[in-house]
Amino acid sequence: MSVAAFAAVLAIGVGILLVVAAGADPATAWRALAEGMFGSPYSVGSSLDSAAVLALIATGFTVAHRAGLVNVGGEGQLCAGGVAAAATGLALPDAVPGVLGVPVVLVAGFLAGGLWAGIAAWLKARRGTSEVITTLLLNFVGTGLVAVAVHEEALLRQPVTSAETLPQSAPLPAGAQLPLIGGPESPATAVVVIAAVVVVATGIALKHTAVGVRLAAVGHTPAAAARLGLPVRRLEGGGLAFAGGLAGVAGAALVATAPYVLAEHFSSGYGFSGLVVGLLARGSLTAVAAASLLFGFLTSGGINLQLAAQVPASTVQIVQSVLVLFIAAAMLFTARRTRSTP
């Protein structure tokens, strides 16, 4: 049995124990979970949207990791992209056509996310500061930026018309909203297609282009790559900026999806979940797609698990975390065993 399969079995066992501890019948909980994942066009569409957002972040993580960097700042980069997308979308005229408005919003998110990651890239190149520390700390700055933007009327908060007016931006114009692709009963948007294209194109680029080979060389041995004349700092910075850009696109997609507003907690932890997907994929874009789909569908299923079986939706998050821990532990054990084998 493979490491991933063994870890999945153990994680499922933990999930069953949690369901029993919550006083629910495992069979009922399983039906509720399955129905939440596949029971209707709405649940499938919602799951695909979630998976697409995770795939964008995890793909960026994989590119940075290929260059030897660990980008843990997906949450902050996503927030930066969301703020830029909201500001850009709200600045567009109401009659802007979708063929123009949607690309402008997504490009704004990409540039903002890339610049946000560029801060960490610059600090690493000029000061030798660990990108793990800087990208992690920038997450808190990014979430704070969203909070300030949606609470200040001078920035992005919608005009306060009553005590019930939420601290959020006004809705984006129709031309800046991602189009639906799954029919009237499905919330699946064009971000699903965008993420699929990005994953495939990035996989091809990493395997079959000179840039992919150079990134791998830098990630494997930076000193040797420098002796060969490769621009190590530029490749590292570009890989990290590209990762931030894709996280920014994910943030822009969240803003351009119903209800089409920037709210304080719009990120919903996608940046950290995308990091987990990237870690599990271990550099494989095929694994990124598979893990994103798994986590996306589990997220939607967890909501119905709470509604239909009275089991806390956080149970799914616990199972996902346990799965990551088991896989990490198994990989560590395997690596140590390999090193100790003569």
Side-chain angles (χ1 to χ4, degrees):
M1 181 181 294
S2 67
V3 170
F6 182 67
V9 171
L10 291 178
I12 291 172
V14 171
I16 293 173
L17 291 176
L18 291 173
V19 169
V20 174
D25 175 44
T28 302
W30 171 253
R31 286 195 296 270
L33 182 66
E35 184 178 350
M37 293 190 294
F38 310 108
S40 67
Y42 182 89
S43 60
V44 173
S46 178
S47 299
L48 289 175
D49 277 346
S50 297
V53 171
L54 293 175
L56 287 170
I57 299 169
T59 299
F61 175 89
T62 301
V63 172
H65 189 263
R66 184 65 62 92
L69 304 179
V70 180
N71 176 37
V72 297
E75 187 78 2
Q77 295 148 13
L78 182 149
C79 289
V83 171
T88 303
L90 292 173
L92 295 173
D94 292 337
V96 63
V99 69
L100 175 63
V102 171
V104 166
V105 166
L106 295 179
V107 169
F110 180 85
L111 293 177
L115 288 174
W116 202 257
I119 298 173
W122 183 86
L123 288 172
K124 180 173 179 61
R126 297 299 180 184
R127 302 296 179 183
T129 308
S130 170
E131 79 284 354
V132 176
I133 296 175
T134 51
T135 54
L136 176 63
L137 294 178
L138 283 170
N139 284 332
F140 301 102
V141 183
T143 54
L145 178 65
V146 174
V148 171
V150 299
H151 278 85
E152 294 294 333
E153 289 192 36
L155 297 176
L156 293 178
R157 179 169 182 172
Q158 62 180 329
V160 179
T161 56
S162 68
E164 289 76 25
T165 304
L166 296 175
Q168 62 186 30
S169 71
L172 268 62
Q177 300 171 6
L178 284 173
L180 298 175
I181 62 170
E185 296 182 357
S186 172
T189 67
V191 70
V192 177
V193 178
I194 293 171
V197 171
V198 166
V199 171
V200 173
T202 303
I204 293 173
L206 290 180
K207 283 188 176 182
H208 302 290
T209 67
V211 172
V213 174
R214 290 170 181 170
L215 285 173
V218 170
H220 185 66
T221 311
R227 285 195 294 270
L228 291 173
L230 296 181
V232 174
R233 291 182 178 179
R234 189 184 308 168
L235 287 167
E236 289 180 340
L240 189 56
F242 183 76
L246 290 187
V249 172
L254 289 176
V255 172
T257 302
Y260 310 111
V261 299
L262 177 70
E264 186 169 358
H265 301 293
F266 85 105
S267 64
S268 301
Y270 276 115
F272 296 111
S273 297
L275 167 64
V276 171
V277 171
L279 289 171
L280 287 176
R282 301 178 63 191
S284 168
L285 272 302
T286 302
V288 163
S292 297
L293 287 171
L294 173 63
F295 276 51
F297 276 87
L298 282 176
T299 299
S300 295
I303 297 174
N304 195 61
L305 188 66
Q306 181 168 332
L307 295 175
Q310 307 304 313
V311 176
S314 57
T315 299
V316 172
Q317 295 177 339
I318 294 174
V319 171
Q320 290 174 348
S321 301
V322 169
L323 175 62
V324 173
L325 288 174
F326 282 153
I327 289 180
M331 289 167 54
L332 180 61
F333 174 78
T334 302
R336 288 183 175 179
R337 187 175 180 181
T338 301
R339 286 197 299 266
S340 62
T341 301

